[in-house]
Amino acid sequence: MAGNILVTRKLPGNAIDELAERYNVEVWDREEKISRYELKRKIKDKDALICLLADKIDREVIDSAPNLKIIANYAVGYDNIDVEYATRKGIYVTNTPDVLTDATAELAWALLFAVARRLREADMFLREGKFKGWEPELFLGKEVTGSRIGVIGAGRIGRSFMKKGKGFDIKWCYYSRTRKNDLEVEFNARFVDTLTMFERCDFVSLHVPLTDETYHLIKKEHFDRSNGRVILINTARGAVVDEEEMIKALYDGRLRGAGLDVFEKEPYVPPSLMNLSNVVLLPHIGSATHRTREKMAEMVAKNVDMALKGHIPPNLVNKELLEK
Ligand code: NAP
Ligand code: GLV
Ligand code: GLV
């Protein structure tokens, strides 16, 4: 066998089984997720790690794996990994971009519509037997067509989200690290700062990665400006938003509603959020389609295979390693 691989969860599709034909693969297949203790113990003799965004791969975990050559994250976001330390140790870090872009952008729209048109409340109402016939004022919501939407983070998913909105006559604005001329031409999108966005938009959708710079990027000042109009959609990472301030703004009406797939301290979801009717809460399912999750498994397998064969893995995050 050319290498020992640890996979911290059973993944959809056949990619890991195929990898196991060529390598020594150990899959953590228990009901509960792998504990930190078990992770540190099992990684000791491994050359490669395939892990989830819920696995914290910090310095201590990395230090328990003297032979580790690659950490292949089964996600596009990699804020769960101490990439800087991995780089110092000469370990490749890879992710799964592109294959989950459509699925995640779709989910952002699903949340947006669900909150705007009050699907969760209306569904509950019907199931509780309260539907007594058509009513002129039953569950009036916010019309999406013709609305003004702000996108924060005009990368793969942010752009795909915009592209999928064609047909809804959206007035777009966006904010990103750098200006995107093509978006300004194709979507007539205006580049605005994030505070202005909360003043002017009906919806704001977040698509930035979680980094030191984007931690609590959306905070009290934004909600103070939003004047009861904005519906916030977050399929990025919980900690991009100051969750406590967001909850206050949802309670006192500065924010009109929120559609959330991610939370600051996942899997913990504050009970105060659960009590709100103007929010839709999902258990981090942005990329959760059969097709996407199988492709993600193929990608982590490919990255590991390449690294263990001594090649550069195709979805390398820490490209600085190539300069060494
Ligand atoms: P991406 O292509 O790298 O796009 C991220 C964009 O964010 C980039 O265009 C970048 O802007 C922008 N950005 C980065 N730092 C910024 C900053 N400090 N200020 C303003 N803009 C900044 O990544 P992606 O594939 O679209 O994924 C985005 C994130 O979505 C992931 O990192 C992950 O956390 C999240 N995600 C969640 C789910 C889910 O299940 N809910 C699924 C997939 C992904 P520039 O281009 O201007 O530099
Ligand atoms: C999911 O959240 C991802 O980053 O892939
Ligand atoms: C609603 O169902 C309508 O026909 O207007």
Side-chain angles (χ1 to χ4, degrees), residues 186-300:
E186 186 179 351
F187 294 91
N188 197 19
R190 289 187 51 192
F191 185 83
V192 298
D193 64 80
T194 58
L195 286 173
T196 306
M197 204 177 268
F198 274 76
E199 257 169 24
R200 303 219 185 125
C201 286
D202 303 297
F203 303 92
V204 172
S205 191
L206 306 180
H207 301 286
V208 286
L210 175 62
T211 63
D212 290 343
E213 282 153 35
T214 63
Y215 175 82
H216 284 194
L217 180 70
I218 305 307
K219 47 189 182 292
K220 183 176 181 298
E221 286 85 331
H222 296 85
F223 306 131
D224 285 346
R225 301 236 187 159
S226 90
N227 246 333
R229 180 148 164 226
V230 177
I231 291 173
L232 177 65
I233 306 301
N234 192 0
T235 57
R237 282 290 180 272
V240 171
V241 180
D242 183 335
E243 195 169 77
E244 211 179 303
E245 287 297 334
M246 175 188 69
I247 294 171
K248 283 187 200 158
L250 284 164
Y251 269 94
D252 66 26
R254 278 170 293 154
L255 264 188
R256 179 169 178 153
L260 309 171
D261 188 41
V262 287
F263 304 90
E264 253 200 275
K265 298 188 178 79
E266 279 175 31
Y268 173 76
V269 179
S272 53
L273 209 43
M274 308 246 201
N275 293 333
L276 283 161
S277 61
N278 54 341
V279 297
V280 173
L281 310 172
L282 301 179
H284 204 148
I285 56 169
S287 64
T289 68
H290 291 289
R291 187 168 102 133
T292 287
R293 289 283 168 85
E294 281 178 25
K295 285 192 173 166
M296 288 164 66
E298 285 163 22
M299 253 170 137
V300 288

Side-chain angles (χ1 to χ4, degrees), residues 27-72:
V27 179
W28 178 265
D29 56 4
R30 306 257 191 96
E31 184 110 347
E32 72 285 358
K33 87 185 249 289
I34 194 165
S35 68
R36 203 173 155 74
Y37 172 80
E38 286 293 344
L39 176 60
K40 278 165 45 189
R41 197 171 74 86
K42 295 212 173 271
I43 206 179
K44 275 194 169 61
D45 62 340
K46 299 297 187 287
D47 303 287
L49 171 68
I50 295 177
C51 58
L52 310 185
L53 60 88
D55 301 319
K56 195 165 175 54
I57 311 300
D58 55 15
R59 188 184 273 245
E60 201 182 272
V61 172
I62 293 171
D63 278 340
S64 4
N67 304 332
L68 202 63
K69 294 171 187 66
I70 176 168
I71 302 167

